[in-house]
PDB file of all heavy atoms in Angstrom:
ATOM      1  N   VAL L 216      98.254  99.157 148.797  1.00 71.00           N
ATOM      2  CA  VAL L 216      99.066  98.022 149.210  1.00 71.00           C
ATOM      3  C   VAL L 216      99.973  97.708 148.036  1.00 71.00           C
ATOM      4  O   VAL L 216      99.520  97.226 147.003  1.00 71.00           O
ATOM      5  CB  VAL L 216      98.195  96.793 149.542  1.00 71.00           C
ATOM      6  CG1 VAL L 216      99.082  95.632 149.973  1.00 71.00           C
ATOM      7  CG2 VAL L 216      97.199  97.133 150.636  1.00 71.00           C
ATOM      8  N   SER L 360      98.930  83.081 123.047  1.00 96.00           N
ATOM      9  CA  SER L 360      99.629  81.862 123.464  1.00 96.00           C
ATOM     10  C   SER L 360     100.899  81.616 122.647  1.00 96.00           C
ATOM     11  O   SER L 360     100.939  81.895 121.446  1.00 96.00           O
ATOM     12  CB  SER L 360      98.692  80.658 123.313  1.00 96.00           C
ATOM     13  OG  SER L 360      99.369  79.460 123.649  1.00 96.00           O
ATOM     14  N   GLN L 397      79.468  98.418 166.349  1.00 88.00           N
ATOM     15  CA  GLN L 397      78.833  98.492 165.034  1.00 88.00           C
ATOM     16  C   GLN L 397      78.052  97.207 164.765  1.00 88.00           C
ATOM     17  O   GLN L 397      78.547  96.106 164.979  1.00 88.00           O
ATOM     18  CB  GLN L 397      79.899  98.671 163.948  1.00 88.00           C
ATOM     19  CG  GLN L 397      79.342  98.773 162.534  1.00 88.00           C
ATOM     20  CD  GLN L 397      80.449  98.754 161.491  1.00 88.00           C
ATOM     21  OE1 GLN L 397      81.058  97.713 161.242  1.00 88.00           O
ATOM     22  NE2 GLN L 397      80.716  99.895 160.894  1.00 88.00           N
TER      23      GLN L 397
END
Side-chain angles (χ1 to χ4, degrees):
V216 180
S360 177
Q397 181 188 73

